């Protein structure tokens, strides 16, 4: 008997259970309705992609890529991997002929299997892999040439076995993949892969699904979390596009009752003006470096913009005195930002300007924005986004402008629940209290008809005592109990009991369907 074990959801992941799952469905359904009314269409990219796609898009110096990605090698070459591990485990001595022969066999096996796997596409055909195989071939020749087991011969043998270990350790047995930490990179990859630049107008896409980041779990922060995102890709970077997606976002938040929110916007310049500003910022930060904590000190060199994100109390006064990007935007970026603000006014969208809003991903240019909500503690950003003109090009596509956002559904829903704004969702409508085996066929038939009419119906699978059956209807939260006893079947009538006030009425099948359907439509 295997040891008894209780399985639990992995740290940072969770089950979304009823009735919360109904709230989630309603939330996502409302997003679809709102986004489609703005002519956005659904895209469903895969959950995992090549690691390099995220590294290039998001930036290797970012927390997401540097620390938080779930990365794995996608390979099915089990025997090859085992043999590789055996080779790495120990190096034979030159005078142990049995061990030397074993090593030769193992290396030959790895070489043959790997060459075949590269040929049939199971292993990546990279210069590194090809070089490692050539190296193995070379070292096999050296070892097989039966070198003299003394003096330089021994040194040569040892150098060879070391080279073998290094070469096999460098073999990449499969593609290196990552569970997506976000989906903007995937959408851009799909845009390029499917030649979407040939589509008329701007390409407007939205997605709903899980993302994965290995962060420290806390309230509103999970390792598997859910985003609803939208992206606009195309030739135009008109500020009206930025304003329209912000309008769409706020219309959606309004529809789901997420109203106690603040929209912050900023412009972080483009590849013309930002590098100069970043240099200036770095110079200024170097002057005060010893007053910063270790994380910020590192960022002064790697990514000075991220120092502006710091929430550490002791760094706030220092940051307030730093040069601001708004004073260093080039004319084109300043004009773009000014027009965006005009557009926001035109659409009556309230916002705050926040010069420190730089965002944690490297692909942003010009417009950046974030929405925070009340009642969430430190993880209060319910949405983040911005422009990423040039990202498609960076990934090998044509020059393309882009802008988008992603809503963190976990946090948004938490905020709705905490504000008591969660809508009462239609639950179980009708519980069928059938009372004897003779009534069962009529119960099955009416259950099917009511379900076809769009009602949620519970049909008990086994005969129950009437009182117990009604008790269960109550506990399940049904609005009505449909009573079906021998009298009802004989008279071709149904008794419908409204459980809230125990009011009872008799209906023919036709009347019953009419009544319940009109109830459902409200
Ligand atoms: P992001 O700011 O990294 O942006 O994430 C967007 C939102 O996802 C955050 O505001 C937050 O609500 C939620 N979120 C992020 N990490 C977690 C977590 N560990 N647990 C719970 N919620 C989380 C992006 O992902 C960009 N791709 C947004 C974008 C789209 N920019 C342009 N287009």
């Amino acid at each position: 008997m295997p040891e008894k074990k209780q399985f639990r959801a992995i740290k940072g992941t969770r089950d979304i259970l009823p009735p919360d799952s109904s709230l989630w469905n309603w939330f996502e359904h409302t997003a679809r309705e709102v986004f489609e009314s703005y002519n956005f269409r659904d895209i469903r990219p895969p959950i995992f992609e090549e690691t390099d796609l995220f590294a290039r898009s998001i930036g290797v110096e970012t927390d997401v890529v540097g620390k938080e990605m779930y990365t794995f090698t996608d390979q099915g070459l089990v025997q090859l991997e085992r043999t590789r591990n055996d080779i790495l485990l120990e190096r034979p001595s030159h005078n142990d002929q049995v061990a030397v022969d074993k090593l030769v066999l193992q290396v030959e096996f790895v070489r043959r299997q790997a060459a075949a796997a590269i040929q049939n596409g199971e292993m990546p055909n990279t210069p590194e892999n090809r070089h490692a195989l050539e190296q193995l071939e070379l070292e096999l020749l050296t070892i097989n040439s039966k070198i003299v087991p003394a003096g330089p011969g021994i040194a040569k043998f040892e150098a060879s076995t070391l080279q073998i270990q290094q070469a096999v350790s460098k073999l990449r047995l499969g593609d290196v993949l990552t569970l997506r930490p976000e989906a903007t990179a995937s959408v851009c990859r799909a845009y390029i892969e499917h030649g979407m630049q040939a589509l008329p107008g701007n390409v407007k896409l939205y997605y709903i699904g899980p993302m994965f980041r290995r962060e420290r779990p806390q309230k509103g922060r999970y390792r598997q979390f859910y985003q609803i995102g939208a992206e606009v890709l195309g030739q135009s970077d008109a500020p009206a596009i930025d304003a329209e997606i912000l309008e769409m976002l706020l219309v959606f938040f309004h529809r789901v009752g997420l109203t106690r929110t603040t929209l912050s916007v900023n412009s972080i310049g483009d590849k013309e003006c930002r590098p100069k500003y970043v240099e200036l910022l770095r110079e200024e930060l170097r002057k005060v470096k010893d007053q910063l904590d270790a994380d910020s000190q590192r960022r002064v060199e790697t990514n000075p913009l991220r120092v502006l994100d710091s929430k550490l109390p002791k760094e706030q006064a220092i940051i307030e005195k730093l040069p601001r990007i708004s004073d260093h935007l080039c004319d084109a970026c300043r004009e773009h930002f000014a027009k965006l603000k005009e557009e926001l006014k035109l659409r009556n969208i309230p916002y705050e300007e926040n010069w420190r809003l730089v965002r944690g991903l490297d692909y942003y240019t010009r417009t950046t924005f974030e929405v925070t909500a009340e009642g969430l503690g430190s993880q209060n950003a319910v949405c983040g986004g911005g422009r990423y003109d040039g990202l498609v090009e960076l990934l090998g596509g044509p020059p393309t402008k882009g802008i988008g956002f992603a809503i963190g559904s976990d946090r948004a829903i938490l905020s709705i629940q905490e504000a008591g704004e969660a809508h009462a969702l239609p639950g179980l409508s009708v519980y069928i209290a059938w009372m004897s085996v003779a009534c069962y066929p009529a119960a099955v038939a009416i259950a099917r008809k009511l379900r076809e009419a769009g009602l949620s119906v519970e049909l008990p699978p086994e005969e129950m005592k009437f009182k117990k059956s009604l008790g269960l209807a109550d506990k399940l939260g049904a609005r009505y109990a449909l009573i079906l006893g021998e009298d009802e079947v004989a008279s071709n009538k149904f008794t419908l009991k409204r459980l809230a006030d125990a009011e009872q009425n008799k209906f023919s099948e036709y009347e019953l369907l009419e009544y319940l359907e009109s109830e459902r439509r409200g």
Side-chain angles (χ1 to χ4, degrees):
M1 272 281 278
E3 188 197 338
K4 214 170 159 196
K5 182 177 168 185
Q6 283 264 327
F7 292 97
R8 305 186 72 90
I10 305 295
K11 187 174 175 192
T13 73
R14 63 205 180 117
D15 303 302
I16 295 161
L17 304 172
D20 285 359
S21 49
S22 303
L23 186 61
W24 277 73
N25 286 339
W26 161 79
F27 184 79
E28 293 178 349
H29 179 74
T30 309
R32 287 183 194 284
E33 275 183 0
V34 172
F35 293 5
E36 298 208 0
S37 76
Y38 281 79
N39 196 27
F40 280 70
R41 295 291 174 256
D42 192 8
I43 178 170
R44 299 177 188 221
I47 302 282
F48 50 85
E49 301 261 8
E50 258 182 76
T51 302
D52 201 32
L53 172 70
F54 300 117
R56 272 194 206 197
S57 308
I58 300 169
V60 281
E61 291 295 344
T62 58
D63 285 352
V64 172
V65 173
K67 306 190 213 161
E68 297 168 0
M69 295 207 299
Y70 284 97
T71 296
F72 59 98
T73 305
D74 176 32
Q75 58 117 343
L77 304 163
V78 180
Q79 200 52 45
L80 183 54
E81 190 182 20
R82 272 197 206 128
T83 314
R84 188 236 310 254
N85 291 344
D86 285 346
I87 295 173
L88 289 174
L89 222 52
E90 57 181 331
R91 286 199 288 140
S93 151
H94 68 279
N95 52 17
D96 183 348
Q97 196 53 46
V98 176
V100 174
D101 289 347
K102 190 171 156 207
L103 176 70
V104 169
L105 283 177
Q106 285 171 328
V107 174
E108 267 171 358
F109 176 81
V110 167
R111 216 177 51 77
R112 256 184 292 111
Q113 293 283 309
I118 289 177
Q119 186 111 56
N120 65 26
E122 268 193 90
M123 236 174 98
N125 188 1
T126 57
E128 293 77 19
N129 272 354
R130 290 197 299 271
H131 181 252
L133 290 191
E134 280 161 18
Q135 186 79 36
L136 288 181
E137 195 172 351
L138 217 68
E139 303 310 333
L140 272 180
L141 278 178
T142 312
I143 294 180
N144 278 334
S145 67
K146 297 280 180 240
I147 42 170
V148 258
I154 297 175
K156 221 168 158 190
F157 174 84
E158 294 201 328
S160 241
T161 50
L162 188 65
Q163 288 284 357
I164 284 174
Q165 283 193 327
Q166 283 173 352
V168 293
S169 72
K170 279 192 197 134
L171 276 179
R172 224 175 75 201
L173 301 190
D175 292 321
V176 183
L177 307 182
T178 291
L179 296 186
R180 63 181 188 192
E182 59 109 52
T184 308
S186 302
V187 171
C188 291
R189 196 254 321 123
Y191 180 85
I192 301 166
E193 190 171 333
H194 303 289
M196 289 194 226
Q197 72 273 14
L199 296 173
N202 286 320
V203 176
K204 298 160 92 174
L205 300 165
Y206 74 89
Y207 48 86
I208 299 181
M211 309 290 155
F212 306 85
R213 296 184 193 174
R214 201 175 186 293
E215 294 192 81
R216 199 167 43 77
Q218 63 181 86
K219 182 182 168 191
R221 188 157 78 188
Y222 308 96
R223 292 181 171 178
Q224 174 172 339
F225 60 99
Y226 294 81
Q227 283 188 346
I228 301 181
E231 315 286 352
V232 183
L233 291 145
Q235 291 313 304
S236 170
D237 61 358
I241 301 175
D242 310 32
E244 187 181 73
I245 64 160
L246 286 169
E247 179 188 301
M248 177 171 93
L249 177 66
L250 296 183
V251 165
F252 168 60
F253 279 169
H254 191 77
R255 280 269 289 274
V256 293
L258 196 63
T259 44
R260 294 183 306 156
T261 55
T262 307
L263 166 68
S264 307
V265 298
N266 190 23
S267 172
I268 57 165
D270 63 6
K271 58 178 188 299
E272 292 303 315
C273 52
R274 195 179 42 225
K276 289 182 213 144
Y277 169 70
V278 169
E279 247 346 283
L280 177 69
L281 192 61
R282 184 177 278 130
E283 270 169 39
E284 291 303 311
L285 281 167
R286 279 184 183 145
K287 293 181 195 159
V288 290
K289 204 168 169 178
D290 51 344
Q291 297 165 49
L292 303 173
D293 91 324
D295 260 352
S296 294
Q297 285 190 357
R298 190 173 41 79
R299 287 182 174 145
V300 173
E301 300 311 322
T302 58
N303 191 352
L305 279 179
R306 292 302 310 278
V307 177
L308 306 182
D309 266 352
S310 161
K311 306 247 167 7
L312 286 181
K314 72 163 190 176
E315 294 183 343
Q316 301 311 304
I318 303 168
I319 293 171
E320 277 307 306
K321 290 196 205 106
L322 291 170
R324 301 181 173 204
I325 180 98
S326 41
D327 300 326
H328 297 272
L329 292 177
C330 60
D331 290 347
C333 286
R334 189 173 315 112
E335 198 180 316
H336 190 274
F337 193 33
K339 284 223 174 92
L340 166 63
K341 289 185 277 185
E342 273 171 32
E343 279 274 353
L344 292 176
K345 277 203 193 84
L346 175 76
R347 292 160 197 259
N348 283 327
I349 297 173
Y351 66 91
E352 280 177 4
E353 222 177 304
N354 177 0
W355 71 277
R356 288 173 58 177
L357 183 64
V358 293
R359 314 258 311 122
L361 317 170
D362 278 359
Y363 50 61
Y364 290 113
T365 53
R366 293 191 168 171
T367 312
T368 54
F369 56 88
E370 220 161 69
V371 180
T372 51
E374 283 179 21
L376 290 174
S378 65
Q379 303 304 311
N380 63 351
V382 288
C383 177
R387 266 206 168 273
Y388 47 85
D389 304 339
L391 175 57
V392 167
E393 220 172 335
L394 183 74
L395 298 175
T400 307
K401 314 286 189 205
I403 182 164
F405 63 74
I407 298 161
S409 301
D410 306 78
R411 293 181 192 176
I413 289 173
L414 203 62
S415 177
I416 294 171
Q417 283 173 320
E418 299 217 340
E421 294 282 352
H423 288 218
L425 295 160
L428 177 60
S429 307
V430 183
Y431 177 96
I432 300 186
W434 57 277
M435 275 183 285
S436 73
V437 180
C439 308
Y440 183 61
V444 170
I446 194 67
R448 164 102 44 110
K449 284 188 184 143
L450 294 177
R451 285 168 176 157
E452 276 168 6
L455 295 151
S456 168
V457 176
E458 178 67 15
L459 175 70
E462 285 166 313
E463 192 174 354
M464 281 165 88
K465 292 247 161 41
F466 183 58
K467 227 173 140 188
K468 198 171 162 202
S469 200
L470 277 190
L472 182 58
D474 234 3
K475 284 188 199 142
L476 291 175
R479 279 168 63 76
Y480 294 99
L482 186 70
I483 298 162
L484 205 53
E486 280 166 21
D487 281 356
E488 277 82 6
V489 172
S491 64
N492 240 335
K493 291 264 178 186
F494 298 91
T495 303
L496 189 70
K497 177 173 180 177
R498 189 157 61 202
L499 292 172
D501 56 9
E503 191 189 301
Q504 249 175 245
N505 283 300
K506 276 199 187 286
F507 291 110
S508 71
E509 181 182 308
Y510 176 79
E511 290 163 346
L512 179 75
L513 278 163
E514 282 265 287
Y515 175 78
L516 287 175
E517 274 193 46
S518 69
E519 270 280 284
R520 184 173 65 87
R521 283 196 295 268

